[in-house]
Amino acid sequence: MEEPTPDGGTTRKREDYLECPEYFMAVAFLSAQRSKDPSSQVGACIVNQENKIVGIGYNGMPNGCDDDQLPWSRSADNRLDTKYPYVCHAELNAIMNKNSADVKGCTMYVALFPCNECAKLIIQAGIKDVVFHSDKYHKSPETEASRRLLTMAGIGYRQFKPKRTEIVIDFNSINPGMLNSDQVQTQTAHLGEEEAD
C-alpha cells in the first residue's frame, strides 16, 4: 500500500537503486580492492539461480603463503621471479570460497575475462554463465583458448554493459554525519580500552 506524502501525493519506490547485474559486478569490483597485486586487481562474484551470492574472490597468493616472500613482478629474467607461477586468480578463489554445496548452474560475474586455466575451473565447477567487464587480453592465446573451451562446454559468456559509470560508497549515507573523524578515534580508543580489560 502506498503511503500518502505531506503534499497529497504518494510515496513510491526509489528509481535509482542498483539492479542485480550492476550489484553483482559491483561486488566483484569491491572484492578486487582486497587484492595486493600492484598491477592487476580482479574480483569475482558467483550468483545462484535465486540471485543470491554464493561465492566471492579476488586475485592473491595462496593461503598460508607469505605474500611478502613471493614476487609480484609481471616480468623477470627467470619466470619464477614473477607472480604468475604463484598467484591464485579471482575465479579460483570465488569457487573455493563458495558458501553452498556447489556452484552448478550459477553465474559468475568477473572484472576480467577468464584465462584458460580459470575457464577449466569454471567448466569443472558447473558454472553455466560468465559475465565479464573487461576483455583487454582478447587476442592472447590464453583467452582464445578460454573462449574455445567455454563454447565447447556450452557455457555462455557476455560482456557487462553498465548503466552507470561509477558507484560511490559513502559510509555516511545511512546516518549522515554520524562518524566524523573525532568520533571514529573515540570509538577506536574505547574498543582498545575494552580489549585491555
Side-chain angles (χ1 to χ4, degrees):
M1 185 169 179
E2 293 183 349
E3 180 182 316
T5 61
D7 63 1
T10 55
T11 301
R12 299 189 186 280
K13 69 179 183 183
R14 284 178 52 226
E15 296 295 329
D16 62 340
Y17 63 91
L18 282 180
E19 294 181 12
C20 282
E22 288 181 303
Y23 171 57
F24 299 135
M25 189 59 79
V27 169
F29 268 68
L30 185 61
S31 298
Q33 294 304 303
R34 286 281 305 138
S35 175
K36 297 177 184 177
D37 190 322
S39 57
S40 299
Q41 300 84 45
V42 181
C45 175
I46 302 173
V47 180
N48 69 14
Q49 297 90 333
E50 298 172 340
N51 277 338
K52 293 179 181 171
I53 296 172
V54 296
I56 55 174
Y58 53 89
N59 58 313
M61 298 302 177
N63 292 336
C65 297
D66 187 344
D67 53 29
D68 288 323
Q69 301 297 314
L70 292 169
W72 288 101
S73 177
R74 291 177 61 126
S75 61
D77 291 337
N78 183 343
R79 186 163 168 80
L80 289 175
D81 294 329
T82 71
K83 64 181 178 176
Y84 299 109
Y86 311 104
V87 76
C88 296
H89 286 186
E91 298 92 331
L92 163 68
N93 283 326
I95 291 168
M96 295 304 295
N97 292 338
K98 70 185 184 305
N99 60 14
S100 59
D102 60 48
V103 292
K104 285 185 173 65
C106 290
T107 298
M108 178 180 282
Y109 288 80
V110 63
L112 187 62
F113 188 85
C115 71
N116 59 313
E117 293 299 325
C118 290
K120 293 179 210 176
L121 291 166
I122 288 165
I123 293 165
Q124 296 300 82
I127 289 172
K128 70 168 181 60
D129 197 26
V130 176
V131 181
F132 62 94
H133 184 268
S134 172
D135 193 14
K136 69 178 178 178
Y137 300 116
H138 182 80
K139 294 184 178 179
S140 74
E142 291 79 9
T143 55
E144 286 188 22
S146 179
R147 286 192 298 277
R148 185 180 296 180
L149 288 168
L150 293 172
T151 301
M152 289 176 76
I155 296 171
Y157 54 89
R158 66 186 184 280
Q159 191 159 25
F160 176 70
K161 302 291 184 199
K163 291 186 176 180
R164 56 182 89 199
T165 59
E166 68 178 11
I167 296 170
V168 177
I169 298 174
D170 178 1
F171 287 114
N172 282 321
S173 66
I174 300 296
N175 205 352
M178 176 64 184
L179 292 177
N180 64 41
S181 60
D182 292 338
Q183 288 172 316
V184 170
Q185 289 172 356
T186 302
Q187 289 176 357
T188 304
H190 287 305
L191 285 174
E193 290 169 9
E194 289 171 10
E195 289 172 3
D197 290 344

